[in-house]
Amino acid sequence: MPETSHLVELPPCELARLEEIADLVTSVLSSPIRREKLALALMSEGYMKKLLQLFQVCEDLDNREGLHHLYEIIRGVLFLNKAALFEVMFSDDCIMDVVGCLEFDPSLVQPKKHREFLTKTAKFKEVIPITDSELRQKIHQTYRVQYIQDIILPTPSVFEENFLSTLTSFIFFNKVEIVSMLQEDEKFLTEVFAQLTDEATDDGKRRELVNFFKEFCAFSQTLQPQNRDAFFKTLANLGILPALEIVMGMDDLQVRAAATDIFSYLVEFSPSMVREFVMQEPQQTDDDVLLINVVIKQMICDSDPELGGAVQLMGLLRTLIDPENMLAPTNKTEKTEFLSFFYKYCMQVLTVPLLASTVDEKNCKDLQEGSTKINPVCPDNFQTAQLLALILELLTFCVEHHTYHIKTYIMNKDLLRRVLVLMNSKHTFLALCALRFMRRVIGQKDEYYNRYIVKGNLFEPVINTLLDNGTRYNLLNSAIIELFEFIKVEDIKSLIAHIIDNYYKALESIEYVQTFKGLKGRYEQEKDRQTLRLNRYRRDARTLDEDEDEEMWFNEDGEAIEKSRPEEEFPESYGKYMEAKKVKESDNKENFPKRTPTGSFKFTFSHSAGAANGANCKPATSPTSAASPNGSPAKSATPPATPVVKTAMVGLVDYPDDEDEEDEDEEQSPRKRPRLGS
């Protein structure tokens, strides 16, 4: 058949032509254009209804060959993926005949009994009578089409995956319509909530009501975000959370499981809505009836050996206490208020199993014979270990995301010490959970935590576990070494000093990794730095003392005076000195330094530092100069100069005769001064 033809020409809808019709439908599936044309032909002149009438004839005649052809035809029509055809096929008049055709799969020896299941086994339960006939019809249709897609039709191959996309969309939009119609019927939902929370409602009825809400919420996932918001707000206004608080505390496992599913829908939709309700609960009531405490208790008391429900509830709790979804701009105080509420009313409920299981060995009746472990885990069965692992996972999350609140709680309850008792558990996964908790605490690099660990000597159980593990190369060994490696790499000085001072003798024999030698090296480096710093401080202090000593000088009478200062600070003494200098210049010009042929200066006499104190002065270069017995120079006509003490930068020997030369060179080089040769 050429693809350019306008329409597909269908054979007459007769019993003898069923094989021809089946071949035609199967052949067009590979071509999108031909599928489109065949769909247009099938929708004309009521062709689908004629085919379904032939099904009734074949079934009455028990014509298996014709029934097998009809199976191929109906299956092929579904793969045409046309919503207009689905509207006809899934109408109340036709849908059961469509299901009947699909019972006669040629690959099966005996046909399936799908119609019997849909009409007799599957019962439509109305928890509250539905008066809207259109709504009832839509619910029935959606259930049956979902059954066709999930049960009757075989799993499509890779090449057939897109053939049923319109069927999926048909179901999707039906669910949207059902949710919208129920949401608009306020009388119906109000009655459902009233019966759900009524104490007089029997358990069977309440179970049906909870299952209805579970399906209702599941259908709501098909809504667009805006419509889904309106849906959950409607449920919140009608009181879904107080109702859940009641049913989650019931003994019926099925009711609790369904209520948990509903609660998960609400938490995933809006954690803030749940938090707001929790904080508005009356504070005068017992803490046990708070919604979050009900959830925590259900997690702790999960009877499933694999704790499937507990894992789900732990995930919901983590979502509720996650600060990342508490950043709504409409309520900036939500994080502080809710975390304060949680740590005040709920944290002690969450940690009850942990604190109860980490007791002293004298209080533990479950102590194994011959056990030498201190503070053994009690009891240490698999289910308890799984529960404690879940609680530790949640507490580890708190350490990472709640800074102030969890820190205060750990300190007040000495929680880390109790957690490290679990290092003694025979279940390695639980010991690893305890180690992970400590690793998160140390990973905060908070000195507050570090001081707590050092003071409590909390590395001891970790190191004991490492030594007990011996040379076995396993996950526990690697995790403990990684903890110490982190401390070394991050150079956490207080912890390094504590570990080396207290445990290095036990750890120095471990040489298959360089972690502990590296810790020792860090420790020695820090010790050397501290010693160097201390020595430098002492030297600086000694230098300071010497400088202070040099600041004082003593005159002939033994009175302490200060060092010489610039001339402007001593104008009177400086003037007297200059007058004496001029007198000496006129008499002793021969004593001025003279430049020698080599460019150096030659001096004929000098004053030592002792001259100022009346000590003997000897000539520096002239052999003819002599000192008088009282220690004065030979030239007695020169009056003694006022003693002036020079600074540390200037030599202690100076000559009054040189002052004029200093004045001449002051502007050019004030620091240049002829030095006395020895």
Side-chain angles (χ1 to χ4, degrees), residues 642-655:
T642 304
V644 178
V645 182
K646 299 300 179 181
T647 61
M649 295 294 296
V650 181
L652 295 178
V653 179
D654 201 356
Y655 301 93

Side-chain angles (χ1 to χ4, degrees), residues 71-101:
Y71 171 87
E72 298 291 346
I73 293 169
I74 296 300
R75 182 176 179 274
V77 171
L78 289 173
F79 284 157
L80 291 178
N81 217 19
K82 287 296 172 185
L85 287 173
F86 293 161
E87 291 290 345
V88 176
M89 297 170 69
F90 299 148
S91 63
D92 285 348
D93 298 336
C94 300
I95 190 167
M96 295 308 291
D97 289 335
V98 170
V99 174
C101 291

Side-chain angles (χ1 to χ4, degrees), residues 283-337:
Q283 300 299 321
Q284 64 270 18
T285 59
D286 189 3
D287 292 351
D288 292 345
V289 301
L290 298 176
L291 178 59
I292 293 189
N293 285 346
V294 171
V295 172
I296 292 173
K297 285 191 172 182
Q298 187 171 335
M299 180 185 82
I300 293 172
C301 300
D302 189 5
S303 58
D304 180 8
E306 298 298 326
L307 298 183
V311 172
Q312 181 185 10
L313 290 170
M314 191 273 293
L316 297 177
L317 284 174
R318 183 165 56 185
T319 302
L320 287 174
I321 63 176
D322 187 358
E324 294 297 324
N325 56 45
M326 297 183 193
L327 303 178
T330 55
N331 186 6
K332 296 182 179 179
T333 62
E334 179 186 13
K335 176 180 176 181
T336 304
E337 291 178 356

Side-chain angles (χ1 to χ4, degrees), residues 94-141:
C94 300
I95 190 167
M96 295 308 291
D97 289 335
V98 170
V99 174
C101 291
L102 294 173
E103 289 179 352
F104 293 93
D105 186 348
S107 62
L108 301 176
V109 178
Q110 292 295 329
K112 296 288 185 179
K113 296 182 179 180
H114 297 303
R115 285 172 294 174
E116 182 179 341
F117 175 82
L118 290 172
T119 55
K120 296 180 180 179
T121 306
K123 298 293 183 181
F124 177 62
K125 296 180 181 179
E126 294 181 83
V127 290
I128 302 293
I130 298 175
T131 56
D132 189 340
S133 59
E134 183 183 357
L135 177 59
R136 289 171 59 91
Q137 185 272 333
K138 190 68 67 175
I139 293 172
H140 285 302
Q141 183 189 60

Side-chain angles (χ1 to χ4, degrees), residues 246-464:
I246 294 172
V247 296
M248 288 185 76
M250 293 183 174
D251 296 331
D252 193 318
L253 294 178
Q254 292 184 354
V255 170
R256 290 212 308 257
T260 301
D261 290 337
I262 298 170
F263 185 66
S264 68
Y265 285 124
L266 295 171
V267 171
E268 290 170 10
F269 161 69
S270 176
S272 294
M273 181 182 74
V274 178
R275 286 192 287 261
E276 184 179 359
F277 166 77
V278 168
M279 287 189 291
Q280 288 176 352
E281 288 185 282
Q283 300 299 321
Q284 64 270 18
T285 59
D286 189 3
D287 292 351
D288 292 345
V289 301
L290 298 176
L291 178 59
I292 293 189
N293 285 346
V294 171
V295 172
I296 292 173
K297 285 191 172 182
Q298 187 171 335
M299 180 185 82
I300 293 172
C301 300
D302 189 5
S303 58
D304 180 8
E306 298 298 326
L307 298 183
V311 172
Q312 181 185 10
L313 290 170
M314 191 273 293
L316 297 177
L317 284 174
R318 183 165 56 185
T319 302
L320 287 174
I321 63 176
D322 187 358
E324 294 297 324
N325 56 45
M326 297 183 193
L327 303 178
T330 55
N331 186 6
K332 296 182 179 179
T333 62
E334 179 186 13
K335 176 180 176 181
T336 304
E337 291 178 356
F338 180 76
L339 290 181
S340 298
F341 173 88
F342 180 79
Y343 279 88
K344 182 177 181 181
Y345 294 101
C346 308
M347 183 58 91
Q348 68 268 22
V349 181
L350 178 65
T351 54
V352 162
L354 174 63
L355 298 178
S357 299
T358 53
V359 296
D360 295 335
E361 63 175 335
K362 61 183 179 182
N363 297 326
C364 181
K365 299 178 181 178
D366 235 5
L367 182 61
Q368 299 177 358
E369 293 184 8
S371 174
T372 58
K373 291 184 178 180
I374 302 174
N375 294 338
V377 183
C378 173
D380 199 14
N381 56 63
F382 179 72
Q383 190 166 354
T384 302
Q386 278 192 308
L387 176 61
L388 293 177
L390 287 178
I391 294 172
L392 279 177
E393 185 177 345
L394 203 57
L395 291 174
T396 304
F397 177 85
C398 292
V399 169
E400 197 167 357
H401 293 86
H402 306 163
T403 53
Y404 166 74
H405 294 87
I406 188 64
K407 187 191 301 183
T408 304
Y409 191 81
I410 289 174
M411 302 300 169
N412 290 340
K413 298 290 185 181
D414 197 12
L415 191 63
L416 181 56
R417 182 185 303 278
R418 303 297 288 271
V419 167
L420 290 176
V421 172
L422 301 177
M423 297 290 291
N424 294 319
S425 174
K426 64 184 179 183
H427 302 285
T428 306
F429 71 89
L430 182 56
L432 286 168
C433 287
L435 185 65
R436 190 181 305 118
F437 179 78
M438 186 177 189
R439 172 66 173 77
R440 285 290 183 277
V441 169
I442 294 175
Q444 301 305 301
K445 294 187 284 189
D446 187 330
E447 277 303 312
Y448 197 70
Y449 278 133
N450 295 344
R451 288 194 298 270
Y452 164 66
I453 292 171
V454 169
K455 184 178 179 181
N457 208 24
L458 297 181
F459 275 107
E460 183 176 345
V462 177
I463 292 174
N464 286 340

